[in-house]
Amino acid sequence: MTKIINFQTDPSQYKHWKVEYDGAVANLFMDVDEDGGLFDGYQLKLNSYDLGVDIELADVVQRMRFEHPEVKVVVMQSAKDKVFCAGANIRMLGGAAHSHKVNFCKFTNETRNTYEAALADSAQNYICAVKGACAGGGYELALACNHIMLTDDSASSVSLPEVPLLAVLPGTGGLTRVTDKRKVRRDLADVFCSVEEGVKGKRALTWRLVDEVIPNSKFDEAVVARAHEMAENSAKADVAKGINLTPLTREISEDAVIYSTVEVTLDRAGRRSTILIKGPTDAAPADMAAFEAMGDQSWMLRCARELDDAILHLRLNEMELGLMEFQTQGDPESVIAHEALMLNDPDHWLSNEVLKYWKRVLKRVDMTSRSLVATVEHGSCFAGPLAELLWSVDRSYMMLEEFDGDNRPMASLTLSAGNFDTYPMGNDLTRLQTRFLGTPEDVDTAQMRIGEALEAGDAEELGLVTYAYDDIDWEDEVRLFMEERASFSPDAMTGMEANLRFAGPETMETRIFGRLTAWQNWIFQRPNAVGEEGALQRYGTGVRGKYNMERV
Amino acid sequence: MDLINVSYDSQIPNNVGLSSDKKVLKALEKWHPGYINWWNDLIPQNFQDSMVYLRTAVSVDPKGWAKFDYVKMPDYRWGILLAPAVEGRTIPMGEHLGEPAWQEVPGEYRNMLKRLIVIQGDTEPGSVEQQRFLGLTAPSLYDMRNLFQVNVEEGRHLWAMVYLLQKYFGKDGREEADDMLVRSSGSDDSPRMLGAFNEETPDWLSFFMFTYFTDRDGKMQLESLAQSGFDPLSRTVRFMLTEEAHHMFVGETGVGRTIQATLDAMNKAGITDPYDIAKIRDLGVIDLPTIQKKLNLHYTLSLDLFGQEVSTNAANAFNYGIKGRYMEQRIDDDHKLQNDTYPVTSIKDGKILTEDVPALTAINMRLRDDYVRDASGGVGRWNKLIAKSGVQFEFKMPHEGFHRQIGVFSSVAVDPDGAIVSAEEWAKRQDEWLPTKEDGAFIQSLMKPCYEPGKYATWIAPPKVGIDNKPGDFEYVKLHMA
Ligand SMILES: [Fe+2]
Ligand SMILES: [Fe+2]
């Protein structure tokens, strides 16, 4: 795959989705263009999807929050006649490299989580109207909605046929949401996940697989009525108008990707990338009205969008760069000021959206299966939301005292109130809570230092960075770490890091990314699924997968 | 029929040992009242009370499997009859080739088998529902009898499928059997599963076209299920095929007699131009170009029933030994198809091409090709009638890409000659190719009942021979007049 996968799109370029706005209700239609696949070699039949379809969905979901805050209920539905969605395209999966499959699943999972959480985060509620077959990834799309309506036409059903049909698992949260979110009894879930044809009608309701079953002749009407009723009872405040998300400034070259606030440099020989985030150059807007007037141009929003895109670009397009180094440059006080504008006006819809977006972007960093390191150099601005990066990465290094010939301001990091509740991880704890799981008092200690420019000595003592090195040691230590990291097995690194990053309690999200994904990735490697005679490879040929019957 | 005291053993002709099969008896007892209700609600009451000269399958002896007699349709003895077991039958295709045929459902194929049986079963009552009002406009008692014959046999076919579901597919099977009576043709809430079975059959020419073209799809499906490694299914459908032949006979002769009446009327009036439509219609017969349009419609709706040209499900069904090809035993190959290819039509860059694809995945396409050949026979015979009359006209089967909703052609507009045309061109010309509202209204205007024994409506010629060799004025239906 030499072609660059582009995560930037906009409604004028959509091939697979349509949105119709009806006041506080948006009708989101899935209408996948069979011939619009991201790669050659497969057709997206029956509303099946590939990464390209999901990139558009992610864009829809993102714009719904920023461009259409007036929308309180989004109704996900199919524009095709007899099918809701047949799930991820099997031929695409069969033909894709393991790494692509994994990144594909990760991205689709992040998108599902995002629209699922839109209710809790912004009171924007995604509901789902299922007409026609709703299988595998199709039902997983529905599961991530918060209310599922199924037509009773004695044909439409919901199903997770992955196990009997393909010898893999439903990879976007299906198993987890069936038991944890919908609380389907485990033995019924076992039956449900073993029958290819799934469950329809009243039984789908009794088993809790859907929330409503409606006679087909009344279905469309009932969906409209339910959507409007939910919109009327919505807790979401009225917002007249959103802001436009304009195209990012981005320049992709052989060894760099340059945005307005983010610069990615690629060191292919060293198998690493550096993500340099530049702090704000302008003063923070006077208030949220001024912020809103700037559209998507204020630093907080621009930086979040650019960082988000950079991470996705590196994940999918630069798979051999196993180490990501985060750096920042700028004025920490200015970062704090830009964040404070929002922390101080949390009820403003746009404050909420921008902060929730930062939450998502930081989770995206947490979830990135690369070795992550932050280097806190002189002149850097790890403050507020950028400080979160220090606890997202696997290790952090900070410059201690003055460096010869370096006249940049002394390296420091600055905590804000945001670091103590605004950007929780997938485990629902803040990064500091997760970091100090065994010594919760350290969180309190740190909290008392909010607003101070903490230099290396203090930062190390507070446990906020891994190492502080002075001029003598810095270069060697950092170089040695990076060289060592680049020499380890990438698989072992991914496994180790993923296990160490997510301490603390399990949530549905951590179960999806940790447990379900890990199992899925194991199965995705096994001959029973992907071997030449495995079910995934053989799907569509009419010849069955041959299984090694040994239980491992 | 006394619904409470049905003696299933004696009242249901069967060769499956029903009397000793307590489980299935119990299931049938539960299902049967619903079936009778379905039937009674369906067909207009005066026909239910009429005596119809019907054939009833009473055994599976090829020489005398049916007997003819007057019967009220609700008292028809819907039997459960399987073709005789073939000693030592083996699975004729796929990865289990040569293994003994299954007498019980293999667990791993249960869902797929059930699905195939449900789809087949769903078509049977579907067509009865589509045809429910045709008795009111029957062009003769002979035709009315044929209609009812087809109807009761489709009812029996439903029984046959329901028997399999109840006998071999446990609780799920029983639920599916119940759902057969819940779905109904054209319903918004729960339509029949396949599109062609939700279309209306508004007039008799539609009925004849339907039995000719759409029942023939049924025949092809049954032929391929007759190859099934699941022996009870194979035996069931083999027997159904003997009845199905009559349905296609009704279709072919029905269309043929319609054509004949037109030709006779034209000749009598001295009209030679088959396109002199207004004049021909004034004679109370259906002009040939309109019949061609009806052919175009029903043929293409039936082609859609074969599904996607390249199909994983069909490949699986073949490979697992569940569904074979038409005349599987007569095909000279390895019956496994793992290394073979088959040409399939596809569309690339706006052109219609054929591409070789793995033969396993092209099972549907192959069956459709067989269907096209099978269906062209009757069309040839209709053309002979025309040739004999001296009128210059010939029916043509439209190109397989014409007017398609399913498969590779569904995304393009193709004219009857096989040229891809623009959407505008299609919109402009479709009235030349497919029946219009006005055509329908004209045909409808001819649909006046003709209930006198031996008499026929103007638009249709009498048959050459009677059913069961009865004379021309035989009273095939003793109408109950309330
Ligand atoms: Fe039939
Ligand atoms: Fe039939």
Side-chain angles (χ1 to χ4, degrees), chain B residues 170-190:
Chain B
K171 186 160 167 261
D172 283 359
R174 289 197 294 282
E175 280 172 14
E176 292 288 2
D178 292 343
D179 280 354
M180 297 280 187
L181 299 176
V182 173
R183 282 186 294 270
S184 115
S185 178
S187 151
D188 279 340
D189 275 337
S190 62

Side-chain angles (χ1 to χ4, degrees), chain A residues 370-391:
Chain A
R370 306 289 164 93
S371 294
L372 305 177
V373 61
T375 48
V376 187
E377 297 189 5
H378 294 319
S380 66
C381 55
F382 284 99
L386 297 184
E388 291 287 322
L389 290 167
L390 297 172
W391 318 308

